[in-house]
Amino acid sequence: MDAQGRGRADNIDPADQWVLNPSTGEYELRLTPSAPQSGVPRPRRGSPANAGPGAGGSARRAPERESPVTPGPDVPGPRRRRGAPAEPPPGRRKGRTKPRKSKAKKILLWTGGTMAFVLVAVSAAGYLYLKHLEGNVSTTDVGSAGKKGFSKDEAFNILIIGTDKRTGKGNEGYGDAGSVGHADTNILLHVSKDRTNATALSIPRDLIVNVPDCPTKQPDGTEKVIPGTQNVRFNTSLGQDGRDPGCTMRTVKAVTGISVDHFMMADFNAVKTLTTAVQGVEVCLAKDVNDPDSHLKLSAGKHTIQGEQALAFVRTRHSFGNQGDLDRIKVQQQFLSSLMRKMSSSDTLTSPTKLISLAEAATKALTVDTGIGKVSTLKDVALELKKVPPKNISFLTVPVRDNPADGVVRKTVIVDTNTAPAIFDAMKNDVSFTTVKQKEKKEKAAVAARLKGTRSAAADIRVDIYNGGAPGGSAQETLNWLQITEGVLKSSQLGNADATLSKTTLEYSPDQADQARKLADLMGLSASALKPGKSEKNSQGLPAIVLTLGKDFKGAGVSMTTPTKAPDVQKSTADKVECAK
């Protein structure tokens, strides 16, 4: 409806009667005043309309001619239609002329509104795109083999599995086309709690292990326990007899003693799609290579490879070193280092096209456990890993030696029990294999000070022992050892603790510090295990220090001092370019 339709012939467009009030930032309706109708009194501006007795005015007021209402000094007046006369028609009062809004203000209003619309649209599109990416990710419920969620405040261990499954376009021609998908490439990635370092430990596929019993989730929701097998290749921990990645995680725990929190699994297609998404990965060869089995043909020197050529590079096992699996592992580590550098480079991170391609490729290529199955969680994992400097990402391999059972022909390997345990312990205790910035000296000094001071006699120690994650019977075993062997007679074992602990703790009040230091000496506890400020009453009502045995408990009488320095082992780091030999 326009002005003329209401008897208003002043040539004002109704759309222009909505004007922006700069004081409030809102649009308001402003009507140009017209003469009052005959015989219809109108209240004077500023007085209450239809005022009655007690309303703050007279009961009846004589009709007065209303003064024209004009916009306030900060509110622009309504615009006239293009071509309308400058003067109002007869009978109308001429209102005060306000300058039209400048072109700059009009542009500001239009662009402001457009920007708000764009932001809403982008937010909606971003949400929809994240849901789309989430639909790309495949998940496997590994039950108790892994954690149910991901914490950005803790150290974490992720098992990266590369299968030899020949699914996908162009992959059926590679070797065993009927493979069920064994654990062909395996890397246990440990990321430190403070994100200063990470360790990528390769586990040979031909390592002889004992695969434990493995509960697996079936498609109908039921659980089936797949019996374990003794003295078999590590790669059979996946795929064989219907084993899922949870079985491989359990096997890693059995071999290394390191708990695996999550897994990421990829097949041949992942190598091809990820390298294509970042437009190639640079590799270096110390010699010419022509491998008819993997179809890799490259000259010595540096090359940027992607797709089929990248897959051939990581698959070849007859081109480097002694043409065995251990030498192929070194080449794969060099390739992953280069891929990490390319994915975190500014060239990739500042390119929306590459980032979108990488997001699509990564989510389609990966199968993960349900604990990290959301795209938002995968993003958190990536961001936490990105905090680690490449120079402090160490690549190493489980120390092994030839399997004596193979005889003359070398086929499989076994764990080198002389050197491997030190590596496993360092990873379990969050110790870096590279030189990293140390913690604040003040904090370190405060922790170390807990072991400084006098010691009580063993007979004066009053301690209550709880099992907080150690093997069953550990609390009673420790009690017997303390009383019989060490003379700590004022000790009691009180069963299971209220919570499970990853590390053993010793809690005490300030006046029991001498007892705590003595007990720490007897058990080989580090200063970080001592927790001052708390104790409890024992069965006689006397104060007692509290010993809670955690998952790190190794047995009564076995020292529990954690390593502070990693063993000196052969390794490479993600910041260095190495040529495959």
Side-chain angles (χ1 to χ4, degrees):
M1 182 181 291
D2 58 15
Q4 287 84 348
R6 297 194 305 272
R8 303 283 298 275
D10 48 4
N11 293 314
I12 295 177
D13 188 338
D16 289 335
Q17 293 177 308
W18 288 92
V19 295
L20 178 68
N21 186 338
S23 300
T24 64
E26 298 180 352
Y27 282 89
E28 299 176 359
L29 181 63
R30 289 288 184 266
L31 301 177
T32 300
S34 59
Q37 299 295 323
S38 176
V40 181
R42 300 184 70 176
R44 181 174 298 176
R45 185 180 181 187
S47 64
N50 302 321
S58 302
R60 183 177 296 180
R61 189 180 297 274
E64 294 184 15
R65 187 179 182 86
E66 182 189 13
S67 299
V69 179
T70 58
D74 295 329
V75 181
R79 296 179 296 161
R80 293 186 176 276
R81 288 183 179 174
R82 183 174 297 176
E87 295 294 329
R92 303 282 183 181
R93 290 194 177 190
K94 182 179 179 181
R96 184 168 56 183
T97 303
K98 295 294 290 184
R100 294 186 179 184
K101 289 191 290 288
S102 69
K103 185 176 181 180
K105 287 185 177 179
K106 291 180 181 178
I107 293 174
L108 182 61
L109 290 175
W110 273 103
T111 55
T114 303
M115 183 59 68
F117 175 79
V118 169
L119 289 175
V120 172
V122 168
S123 298
Y127 172 78
L128 292 175
Y129 186 64
L130 285 177
K131 297 303 289 183
H132 159 72
L133 289 178
E134 206 150 283
N136 290 344
V137 181
S138 299
T139 60
T140 298
D141 186 353
V142 296
S144 59
K147 286 188 175 180
K148 297 302 181 183
F150 173 76
S151 173
K152 293 188 286 186
D153 301 319
E154 298 293 335
F156 60 91
N157 300 314
I158 294 182
L159 180 63
I160 301 171
I161 306 171
T163 75
D164 59 357
K165 201 167 186 178
R166 269 72 171 170
T167 54
K169 184 179 179 181
N171 296 327
E172 59 278 353
Y174 294 128
D176 183 9
S179 173
V180 294
H182 291 116
D184 195 54
T185 299
N186 308 276
I187 298 176
L188 178 59
L189 178 64
H190 170 79
V191 180
S192 69
K193 182 176 181 178
D194 60 8
R195 307 300 187 250
T196 61
N197 66 92
T199 303
L201 178 69
S202 291
I203 303 173
R205 51 165 289 171
D206 294 328
L207 179 68
I208 295 300
V209 298
N210 295 331
V211 178
D213 292 348
C214 179
T216 59
K217 293 283 185 178
Q218 302 301 301
D220 61 359
T222 60
E223 186 176 86
K224 176 184 177 181
V225 177
I226 300 175
T229 51
Q230 307 293 308
N231 297 316
V232 293
R233 281 180 167 87
F234 182 90
N235 67 341
T236 62
S237 63
L238 176 68
Q240 197 79 13
D241 301 324
R243 294 188 177 109
D244 66 10
C247 301
T248 309
M249 295 166 70
R250 295 174 191 275
T251 304
V252 170
K253 173 68 181 295
V255 172
T256 66
I258 302 171
S259 296
V260 183
D261 303 318
H262 306 283
F263 83 88
M264 292 182 179
M265 183 171 67
D267 58 15
F268 283 177
N269 277 337
V271 177
K272 295 193 288 188
T273 57
L274 287 175
T275 54
T276 301
V278 296
Q279 299 179 8
V281 172
E282 186 180 87
V283 296
C284 179
L285 284 78
K287 62 180 181 179
D288 295 344
V289 170
N290 187 0
D291 182 3
D293 292 332
S294 67
H295 311 296
L296 179 67
K297 186 176 182 180
L298 290 172
S299 60
K302 293 182 180 180
H303 299 270
T304 298
I305 59 175
Q306 60 179 289
E308 293 287 348
Q309 198 173 38
L311 178 59
F313 183 83
V314 298
R315 287 190 63 247
T316 185
R317 60 187 300 169
H318 303 299
S319 303
F320 306 108
N322 296 320
Q323 301 186 5
D325 189 51
L326 296 180
D327 292 300
R328 182 173 67 161
I329 285 176
K330 293 179 183 177
V331 173
Q332 291 174 344
Q333 291 175 346
Q334 294 164 7
F335 175 83
L336 285 175
S337 295
S338 183
L339 179 59
M340 283 183 177
R341 291 193 297 270
K342 186 61 179 286
M343 290 174 68
S344 61
S345 68
S346 58
D347 180 51
T348 300
L349 297 178
T350 58
S351 170
T353 302
K354 288 184 181 179
L355 285 176
I356 291 175
S357 297
L358 186 58
E360 290 283 354
T363 51
K364 288 179 181 178
L366 293 176
T367 297
V368 301
D369 60 280
T370 52
I372 55 174
K374 291 183 178 294
V375 169
S376 57
T377 308
L378 288 173
K379 177 205 68 175
D380 289 341
V381 173
L383 291 177
E384 292 304 305
L385 182 56
K386 189 177 181 299
K387 295 178 182 179
V388 182
K391 67 177 182 179
N392 290 333
I393 300 177
S394 301
F395 286 89
L396 55 156
T397 305
V398 172
V400 296
R401 55 190 179 89
D402 292 346
N403 183 7
D406 286 345
V408 178
V409 181
R410 172 180 165 179
K411 294 181 180 179
T412 60
V413 293
I414 59 175
V415 172
D416 187 338
T417 54
N418 293 323
T419 56
I423 292 177
F424 301 154
D425 283 346
M427 293 180 67
K428 279 190 291 186
N429 291 289
D430 210 17
V431 178
S432 175
F433 283 82
T434 58
T435 302
V436 298
K437 183 178 180 180
Q438 298 297 316
K439 295 179 180 179
E440 293 293 334
K441 291 183 178 180
K442 184 177 180 180
E443 179 184 352
K444 290 182 63 178
V447 173
R450 296 173 190 171
L451 288 177
K452 293 182 179 179
T454 59
R455 268 77 169 159
S456 70
D460 294 332
I461 298 174
R462 290 190 299 272
V463 57
D464 288 342
I465 307 167
Y466 293 88
N467 189 329
S474 294
Q476 184 62 46
E477 178 189 355
T478 301
L479 176 70
N480 295 339
W481 172 76
L482 286 175
Q483 291 185 341
I484 297 172
T485 306
E486 302 298 336
V488 183
L489 302 178
K490 301 174 183 177
S491 51
S492 306
Q493 79 90 358
L494 301 180
N496 293 329
D498 294 334
T500 299
L501 303 180
S502 59
K503 294 184 177 181
T504 297
T505 62
L506 184 59
E507 299 170 285
Y508 60 96
S509 60
D511 60 340
Q512 297 171 306
D514 56 343
Q515 297 180 39
R517 295 187 197 104
K518 179 62 177 180
L519 187 57
D521 290 346
L522 295 176
M523 298 193 63
L525 293 174
S526 64
S528 61
L530 275 65
K531 306 295 180 184
K534 180 181 178 182
S535 64
E536 66 180 22
K537 300 289 186 180
N538 66 8
S539 57
Q540 288 78 39
L542 299 173
I545 58 180
V546 179
L547 174 65
T548 306
L549 307 177
K551 291 181 178 180
D552 62 339
F553 181 72
K554 301 175 183 179
V558 180
S559 175
M560 299 179 64
T561 302
T562 58
T564 57
K565 183 180 179 182
D568 186 14
V569 295
Q570 184 179 5
K571 66 179 184 297
S572 61
T573 52
D575 63 318
K576 295 180 180 178
V577 178
E578 297 187 30
C579 294
K581 300 178 181 180

